[in-house]
Amino acid sequence: MNRTTAGCVAIVRIVAGLLIIGVLVSGFAAQVVVGGRNPFDYFGYFTNQTNLLTSVVLIITGTIVLTGRRIPGWLTLVRGVATACLLVVAVIYNLLIPGTGSAPPVVSAILHIAFPLAVALDWLLVGDREPLAWRRLWLVLPYPLLWLLVVLVRGVTDGWVPYGFLLPDRGPASLGLHVVALLGTLLAAGALVWSASRSPGRWLRTPGRTVPSRV
């Protein structure tokens, strides 16, 4: 692996992660100005949570590379899950709910378009990750399921939900349909990410890279 290129990629990942965290913090500060002081509401949005998670993963990944250590398999798996979830953020926003929400247009563009695209290109073009085993594809689901559980409980108890299609008064049939559609979209995004992990990438191809034999 070319150390100079690896170092440059690591720095770009760290900077990108820090920039997105800065965007999220500035967005929360703007919400505070207009009276929205509850961080649980602001970070209750799947978009904000997933951008934060992915940013932290990129910063950790970049830091490990800069220290000269090998990226552990568990971190690659977490990055794969985060990438899949971020793809879902981009798809749902751009196909189902474009232009909605209270965030400034530039912030929405960064969180829903620019960052997901950059993360997807990083995953596809930079080959410093091992292929993900298909038997672990189900791991894209626990985090979104936990998020859904918290949101649905909050919707029933305090009436707050981040997205209108999760309102309890829509009825169990509508909620069930949307939940199944969301989980299906997550699995489809995960399958794309898992497939792309088998690509050697354009830069930083891992020597002796092998595809897991077990499904």
Side-chain angles (χ1 to χ4, degrees):
M1 181 182 294
N2 187 303
R3 289 188 176 273
T4 301
T5 304
C8 290
V9 170
I11 291 172
V12 170
R13 285 171 174 166
I14 293 172
V15 170
L18 291 174
L19 285 174
I20 294 302
I21 290 175
V23 169
L24 291 168
V25 171
S26 64
F28 178 64
Q31 291 290 317
V32 171
V33 170
V34 298
R37 299 177 181 273
N38 189 342
F40 294 103
D41 290 353
Y42 181 76
F43 288 101
Y45 286 88
F46 192 69
T47 291
N48 294 344
Q49 277 190 24
T50 304
N51 274 272
L52 179 61
L53 168 66
T54 309
S55 298
V56 172
V57 170
L58 287 182
I59 291 170
I60 294 173
T61 302
T63 302
I64 287 175
V65 171
L66 286 180
T67 59
R69 292 177 292 167
R70 185 181 180 88
I71 300 173
W74 67 265
L75 185 57
T76 298
L77 179 60
V78 173
R79 187 158 72 96
V81 171
T83 301
C85 290
L86 204 57
L87 287 178
V88 171
V89 166
V91 168
I92 291 180
Y93 176 82
N94 290 288
L95 294 184
L96 298 181
I97 52 175
T100 62
S102 58
V106 65
V107 172
S108 288
I110 292 171
L111 299 182
H112 297 103
I113 301 173
F115 192 50
L117 179 60
V119 169
L121 289 175
D122 178 16
W123 183 264
L124 182 63
L125 298 178
V126 183
D128 61 343
R129 72 284 180 271
E130 292 293 332
L132 299 176
W134 285 107
R135 69 182 184 278
R136 292 177 176 164
L137 178 60
W138 66 273
L139 288 172
V140 301
L141 296 179
Y143 156 55
L145 281 172
L146 179 60
W147 173 81
L148 275 170
L149 177 61
V150 173
V151 166
L152 293 176
V153 169
R154 286 201 62 188
V156 172
T157 56
D158 64 17
W160 185 90
V161 295
Y163 308 108
F165 59 82
L166 293 175
L167 285 169
D169 57 12
R170 294 290 181 91
S174 176
L175 282 175
L177 181 61
H178 281 95
V179 168
V180 169
L182 177 59
L183 296 181
T185 305
L186 278 161
L187 285 173
L192 287 176
V193 171
W194 258 242
S195 295
S197 74
R198 282 150 174 75
S199 168
R202 178 65 179 81
W203 302 291
L204 302 181
R205 300 185 178 188
T206 303
R209 192 170 181 275
T210 58
V211 175
S213 57
R214 294 179 60 187
V215 296

